[in-house]
């Protein structure tokens, strides 16, 4: 059962299945899309430079979820994604600002450096808007172990409440539990 749209959390999911890295990324995206949609989350994601998180989007939609894409001008949706809401913005800064405006929280799935860069660009855009949405990273196969160390060593002294701003999860279920708690704390 999904929540009514007005109370459904809007979560920006940063994911990519392109480039070197975990061969399970497409499967992780599918599992995440299904899990989030079944719990009423609305997903917003970035598509740029020809990279679209198709497994995330198709799984969320198949589970009855709502997905919105923020895209650059290079993106042409495949027929399987017809009907998905897509906002096309030519400038990267505009795309990241739009993601920052829409989402209550951010999720980083194991992916490419491009998806990690987009996550941090969006988080910085939100900070410029006076917001600090929580970030939860799926640390599957220690994908974000370096960032976990950075958060403990660098963010902790300079960001009040960093432990509520940046968290790490080892499973999709844990990811959702952390997100749910952090979003409810900010409402």
């Amino acid at each position: 059962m999904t929540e009514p749209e007005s109370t459904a959390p809007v979560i920006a999911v940063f994911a990519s299945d392109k480039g070197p890295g975990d061969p399970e990324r497409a499967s992780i995206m599918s599992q995440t899309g299904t899990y989030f949609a079944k719990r009423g989350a609305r997903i917003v994601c970035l598509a740029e430079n020809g990279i679209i998180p198709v497994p995330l989007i198709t799984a969320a939609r198949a589970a009855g979820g709502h997905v919105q894409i923020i895209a650059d001008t290079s993106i042409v949706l495949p027929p399987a994604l017809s009907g998905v809401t897509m906002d096309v913005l030519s400038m990267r800064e505009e795309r990241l600002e739009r993601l920052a405006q829409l989402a209550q929280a951010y999720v980083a799935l194991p992916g490419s450096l491009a998806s990690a860069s987009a996550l941090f660009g969006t988080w910085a855009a939100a900070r410029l808007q006076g917001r600090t949405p929580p970030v939860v990273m799926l640390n599957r196969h220690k994908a974000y172990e370096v960032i976990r160390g950075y958060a403990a060593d660098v963010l902790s002294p300079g960001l009040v409440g960093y432990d509520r701003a940046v968290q790490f999860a080892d499973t999709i279920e844990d990811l959702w539990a952390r997100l749910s708690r952090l979003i409810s704390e900010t409402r």
Side-chain angles (χ1 to χ4, degrees):
M1 175 169 220
T2 60
E3 295 180 42
E5 275 195 22
S6 61
T7 61
V10 178
I11 300 170
V13 179
F14 296 87
S16 170
D17 61 355
K18 303 290 186 229
D22 191 333
E24 296 178 55
R25 290 185 290 187
S27 174
I28 291 168
M29 279 192 260
S30 294
Q31 292 171 30
T32 302
T34 300
Y35 200 87
F36 283 20
K38 286 184 175 182
R39 281 148 187 83
R42 297 178 54 156
I43 296 171
V44 61
C45 57
L46 184 65
E48 55 186 5
N49 302 319
I51 300 172
I52 307 168
V54 174
L56 172 78
I57 298 166
T58 55
R61 291 180 70 211
H66 174 82
V67 179
Q68 181 175 352
I69 301 170
I70 307 300
D72 69 13
T73 57
S74 77
I75 299 300
V76 176
L77 294 180
L81 299 183
S82 66
V84 175
T85 302
M86 183 168 78
D87 297 342
V88 177
L89 301 169
S90 61
M91 301 295 296
R92 186 159 209 262
E93 296 78 23
E94 294 174 316
R95 292 188 295 278
L96 300 181
E97 287 172 8
R98 182 71 176 136
L99 282 166
Q101 289 170 351
L102 292 172
Q104 296 169 275
Y106 307 144
V107 165
L109 299 179
S112 69
L113 187 53
S115 59
S117 173
L119 163 68
F120 288 107
T122 304
W123 193 70
R127 298 270 299 165
L128 289 173
Q129 296 169 7
R131 302 174 48 240
T132 306
V135 176
V136 183
M137 299 179 192
L138 182 60
N139 199 28
R140 178 113 171 221
H141 301 301
K142 299 186 180 195
Y144 291 107
E145 204 62 24
V146 170
I147 296 173
R148 177 182 266 175
Y150 175 84
D153 295 343
V154 177
L155 285 182
S156 61
L159 180 62
V160 176
Y162 94 97
D163 55 329
R164 287 185 313 279
V166 180
Q167 293 193 5
F168 301 86
D170 294 318
T171 66
I172 293 167
E173 294 80 8
D174 183 33
L175 179 72
W176 179 257
R178 289 173 185 274
L179 275 174
S180 298
R181 188 183 76 250
L182 291 167
I183 290 170
S184 69
E185 289 174 2
T186 60
R187 283 188 175 176

